[in-house]
Every structure is written in C-alpha cells, then in structure tokens.
Amino acid sequence: MKIVHVASELFPYMKTGGLADAVASLAGTMADRGHEVAVFLPGYRSALDHPGAKSAERTFRIRIELGSELMSGEVRVFSPRKNLRVHLICRDEYFDRRHPYGNGERDYEDNADRFIFFAKGAIEALRLADLQADVVHAHDWQTSLVPLLLRDAERRHGVTLAMKTVFTIHNIAFQGVFPSRVFPRTNLPEELNNIDGLEYYNQINLLKGGILFADRVTTVSPRYAQEIQTPEFGCGLDGVVQTRAEDIKGLLNGIDTAVWNPAVDALLPARYSSANMAGKAVCRTALLKSQSFDVKFTGPIYGMVCRLAEQKGIDLLLANADFFLNQNCRLIILGSGEKRYEEALQALAARAPQRIALCAKHDETMSHLIEGGSDFFMMPSLFEPCGLNQMYSQAYGTIPLVSRVGGLADTVTDADTDPVNGTGLTFPPTNAGLADGLQRSLLLFADKARLAAVQKRGMERDFSWAQAAAAYEQLYQDSL
Ligand code: ADP
C-alpha cells in the first residue's frame, strides 16, 4: 500500500510526547513491512538541522491560499530508510521556532494559520508529487482538517489524491479551538461553518472536523475509544465521537523494543533479562547513588517519569505525600512542565531530602535508569489515551502502579484481582484509589516469590510495534 502520514511531531526530528514516538514507529514498521510510506512534517528548525534532512533528494516550491492571501513555502524531501520518505513543509515565518506549539507559557497566537498552512501544504505537495495514496492518515488537531481539505482539493483540481482517509486521536484534551474568524482561512465551503461541521459554541473546533469527516477514526487504546464517548472523558466532544461509534477503533500503540529493552539498553549501567536479573540490582544501586541516597537501602523504590501536568495525577500523588514521608521507601520523580507542580514536588522533596527526589528536567538517560532501577513505577493519571511508560515498566521488571483508565487499563493486569495473570497494580483515579494501591504495593514487595512472578509475567509480555502495525494494516485494508 501507499501510506501517507501527516503529523506535527515525528521522532527524532521533533518530539514533545508520545505522538512523535507513535508516528515514527508506525511509519517505520510499515516501511519495513514493505509498504511505501511518506510522512509530512512541518519544517521546524530542529528537523531542517537534522543531518538526514540536509541532504534532501528533492525540493520544490508551493503556494498556499489562506483566505484571500497567497503564502509561499518549500517542500524538502529526504529518505531516512528504505520505503520511507519524509516531506518537510517549510515556511520559516511559521516553523523556525524551537517549540512546536507555544513559548512555554502560552500557545502561539498564529497556531491556526500555522497548522492550516501545514495541512494545505501537505495536500498540495501530495498533488504535485503525484503520490496517489491508498491511505492518508492524519494525527491530532494540528492535522485534523486534512480529511476535509483533501476532498476539497480533489474537487477543485478534478483529481484523486487518496482512496481513504484515517484520523487518529492521540489526546482528545487538545482540540484546536479558535475564534470563528479563523474559518475563512480554511477556504472550505461556508456550509461547513455550522453545528454539523466545524462550528463549536460560536467558535471553530478543528479536531471535530477530523472526527466527523475522516473515513475511519482511531484512538490509541480500546478503552480510551469507549471513554471518549462519555462526558467524563470526552472533553466536550463525546457527542461528536458518539456519531462515529460504528467506525471508531482503539488500536494500542506499541513500544520501540530496540530502544526499550533491558537486555540491550546501552543507557543502563548494566543489562538484564527475565532469565538473569542481576543487572537490575546494579541499576538499583546506580539510581540510589544518582540521588545521593543510601545505596544499602533495601525497601521499595517508587519511580515516576512524566510531563508535570494535571493529566498525570500529580495532585493524587501530593494528596498521598504522607505515605512517602512515613513509610520506609524512596520516591524519585523525573518530570518537567507546569511550575505549580514543580514547586509543590520540590517542597515535598525538601521535607525528606534523603528519601524523596525531584529531577525537574527532560533527561532520556535518567528515564531509562528510573525504569531499570525502581521496584514500582507510578502512573496515577486522571486519563491516559495510551501511555508508554507502563509498557516500558513491564519490559523492565518494574511493577506498574497505575490508574485503571484508558491504555493503562488495557495494558496492566491487576495482580491482586487476577493472581494468575497479574502484571501490576491498578486502582481508580482518586486519592483513595492511589492510597489503596500504595498499601497493596507494600504487601506485594514483602512477598518476594509473588513479586518475582509478577515481574516475570510483565517482562514476558509482547508490546512490540509488530502487533500494532498489523492492526493498522488490517484497518487500512478494511477501509479500502
Ligand atoms: P504523553 O504523550 O501524554 O506525554 P506518554 O506516556 O504517551 O505520555 O509518552 C511520554 C513519553 O515521554 C515517554 O516516553 C516518557 O518516558 C517521556 N518523558 C516524559 N517526561 C520525560 C522527562 N522529563 N524526561 C525524559 N523522558 C520523559
């Protein structure tokens, strides 16, 4: 098949979260399976400076209509591996910025123009390159107009650009909501500027366009596909998602097992596997040492790696501060994000600096050490479309302690309710839920035979992208 992805992040050229990893792994695995894959990405500075992009095999100009204005841009095409081409849609005014969406405090004011330009640029490049895709697959609000703009471009030019369109919701909390004056920038027919189209409480909602008009809609776990049809998790779009209930599928992301595998992980101080766990003890010592904790400590170590955002359940953790202050345990958090959470966690660490640590930064090596060296990995998320770290944790023999929501519920089996298959501990996303999970983790830690069995089962689970890619392949084929 000829498969085209349009996305605002792609590892290693631009990454703020799981989206970059998911698109990169999906595109790469599909290319390895023999499909012809193209990915369209904004021409961010970090992408243009990447060695691969510097040796572009082809560049061409595009001119894009935004309302009554004509904007020019350039497309740079390069091939990082067999069967895979990356197309950078460049316009420095829009994309020569360090962060893709905002300055850290606020989103950029011209985000609507930037991503409408990107979506139209991708479609125009598709037309000029004469790619004739089987499937055009767009991701999240930044590209959610692609299904609409693509059919509009086909009408205008009298051509076929793609057989089918697929749209994936990686996180419904981000919707691309803008004032209604933005609508004319799309150049879409005015009849789409109503309640059955993009209109949303007198504004326009770009995500809504992707959900309503793509041939197929997916999200990143089966449970999240159900959850977003409810008011509790739908962030105001549950009614819209319900209209696609027949077509929406939850396909779990996989993990990159070349990067996240304790048997080959070069970022760990020692490697290990379920057959020989000696290296995990070395990682434990290195982790304690990295925080200047007593390396002879034998109690449970709780690790956490995440964006410091409400979604990740930092409030639940703070409400359970007494557990970490009073129990004989260690807590090590790696995260950056909202200042208020950074300050609250810093204050907690200051109350017990020999036992609690916050590393307020983004640090790839440290994230591997926490996965390798901890006994428990905490994800008390309020919602979680898929989540990656709970899968990494199982691969690393680190017991995930997770809220029973979204992809966490789909990938972690509770060891108390299912002693035969359990790979972690799950609880409802509440203060009391986390408190209960923490108490149960102490019991599990004290029972070394049970602990080892739970670890081993997690390590033997298959979370590789091969499974996920096969599911997408099936979806594409079904849609065709
Ligand atoms: P989300 O996309 O909501 O941020 P995911 O769990 O899907 O959550 O993916 C987040 C990815 O980013 C994971 O690979 C996680 O390890 C990584 N990550 C998050 N914060 C940090 C950090 N401070 N340092 C290193 N890696 C991080």
Side-chain angles (χ1 to χ4, degrees):
M1 278 183 277
K2 277 192 195 170
I3 303 160
V4 170
H5 290 278
V6 190
S8 62
E9 297 185 29
L10 176 70
F11 183 82
Y13 310 103
M14 173 55 79
K15 169 173 173 173
T16 72
L19 172 68
D21 291 341
V23 178
S25 299
L26 177 57
T29 311
M30 288 301 218
D32 290 348
R33 290 165 80 93
H35 300 290
E36 201 180 309
V37 184
V39 185
F40 289 78
L41 177 77
Y44 304 114
R45 177 54 45 200
S46 58
L48 290 168
D49 286 344
H50 203 275
K54 283 192 168 149
S55 54
E57 63 189 48
R58 200 150 98 79
T59 61
F60 54 93
R61 310 282 313 163
I62 47 172
R63 279 153 76 82
I64 301 299
E65 252 189 336
L66 284 191
S68 55
E69 283 180 88
L70 258 188
M71 304 285 198
S72 62
E74 190 185 72
V75 183
R76 293 181 74 82
V77 188
F78 63 99
S79 177
R81 71 209 266 179
K82 190 166 173 251
N83 294 337
L84 178 65
R85 281 204 165 67
V86 175
H87 300 241
L88 298 177
I89 305 296
C90 307
R91 181 176 166 87
D92 286 351
E93 176 201 352
Y94 288 154
F95 302 122
D96 188 4
R97 305 181 192 182
R98 221 168 59 83
H99 194 280
Y101 313 126
N103 60 13
E105 310 247 294
R106 258 181 306 140
D107 287 348
Y108 300 127
E109 307 239 325
D110 57 353
N111 271 352
D113 273 6
R114 295 172 73 228
F115 289 107
I116 293 169
F117 174 86
F118 169 55
K120 290 186 172 190
I123 292 162
E124 178 64 357
L126 198 61
R127 187 180 75 86
L128 293 175
D130 200 16
L131 273 174
Q132 299 192 2
D134 289 301
V135 175
V136 169
H137 189 160
H139 303 262
D140 275 354
W141 76 262
Q142 295 87 351
T143 64
S144 55
L145 289 188
V146 164
L148 278 159
L149 292 168
L150 183 122
R151 297 301 179 213
D152 191 59
E154 287 180 334
R155 252 191 320 270
R156 287 166 187 241
H157 295 283
V159 291
T160 302
L161 300 175
M163 299 297 285
K164 294 290 174 191
T165 58
V166 175
F167 178 63
T168 295
I169 305 166
H170 293 259
N171 192 335
I172 204 166
F174 303 104
Q175 302 182 354
V177 175
F178 297 101
S180 56
R181 66 181 142 75
V182 162
F183 184 82
R185 305 295 274 174
T186 66
N187 301 83
L188 286 167
E190 187 55 35
E191 63 257 30
L192 287 167
N193 190 11
N194 64 25
I195 185 84
D196 297 321
L198 302 183
E199 202 256 324
Y200 182 77
Y201 298 103
N202 297 319
Q203 297 186 294
I204 65 163
N205 184 318
L206 302 192
L207 192 77
K208 191 181 166 198
I211 297 170
L212 286 177
F213 295 102
D215 292 311
R216 294 293 173 104
V217 180
T218 76
T219 186
V220 286
S221 68
R223 171 96 165 215
Y224 194 60
Q226 297 304 316
E227 287 174 346
I228 58 177
Q229 299 182 46
T230 67
E232 194 187 347
F233 293 98
C235 300
L237 285 182
D238 36 293
V240 176
V241 178
Q242 276 170 30
T243 67
R244 299 301 309 268
E246 299 271 299
D247 307 299
I248 187 161
K249 260 206 145 67
L251 305 180
L252 267 180
N253 286 334
I255 65 175
D256 186 340
T257 45
V259 179
W260 291 99
N261 174 358
V264 300
D265 189 337
L267 296 177
L268 291 180
R271 274 138 295 282
Y272 58 92
S273 66
S274 64
N276 182 355
M277 294 288 277
K280 189 160 173 68
V282 178
C283 295
R284 176 190 174 88
T285 304
L287 178 61
L288 290 168
K289 203 166 167 198
S290 74
Q291 301 310 308
S292 309
F293 290 167
D294 177 8
V295 294
K296 297 205 182 70
F297 177 68
T298 54
I301 302 176
Y302 295 83
M304 190 161 172
V305 180
C306 64
R307 290 182 288 118
L308 297 182
E310 189 183 6
Q311 174 192 341
K312 301 297 177 182
I314 315 291
D315 295 297
L316 273 53
L317 176 74
L318 291 167
N320 279 282
D322 281 350
F323 177 91
F324 298 102
L325 292 168
N326 299 333
Q327 293 294 338
N328 186 27
C329 67
R330 300 289 179 266
L331 171 63
I332 300 167
I333 303 167
L334 170 65
S336 58
E338 291 180 35
K339 269 263 153 330
R340 60 181 173 134
Y341 287 129
E342 203 174 304
E343 285 164 8
L345 291 171
Q346 210 64 272
L348 174 63
R351 290 172 69 187
Q354 303 309 316
R355 297 193 285 130
I356 302 176
L358 170 70
C359 311
K361 58 180 174 177
H362 192 99
D363 185 333
E364 209 64 31
T365 305
M366 180 83 194
S367 73
H368 284 246
L369 184 60
I370 289 180
E371 285 292 5
S374 303
D375 299 297
F376 294 99
F377 193 95
M378 301 215 306
M379 296 180 79
S381 305
L382 303 186
F383 66 93
E384 197 63 73
C386 177
L388 295 171
N389 277 110
Q390 81 282 10
M391 294 190 268
Y392 301 157
S393 299
Q394 288 170 79
Y396 281 64
T398 301
I399 313 282
L401 196 53
V402 305
S403 305
R404 212 176 298 125
V405 294
L408 301 176
D410 284 334
T411 53
V412 180
T413 309
D414 187 84
D416 286 327
T417 46
D418 188 346
V420 178
N421 301 305
T423 58
L425 296 172
T426 71
F427 50 84
T430 59
N431 294 341
L434 176 57
D436 171 61
L438 287 167
Q439 288 303 329
R440 290 193 289 129
S441 73
L442 292 178
L443 297 176
L444 179 57
F445 190 76
D447 184 344
K448 293 294 183 249
R450 197 159 74 95
L451 184 75
V454 176
Q455 275 181 319
K456 190 167 160 52
R457 277 197 292 271
M459 294 179 87
E460 285 169 357
R461 280 212 176 163
D462 179 8
F463 292 114
S464 70
W465 259 99
Q467 285 200 21
Y472 277 103
E473 220 164 49
Q474 187 68 50
L475 175 99
Y476 295 157
Q477 255 146 18
D478 288 351
S479 78
L480 291 166

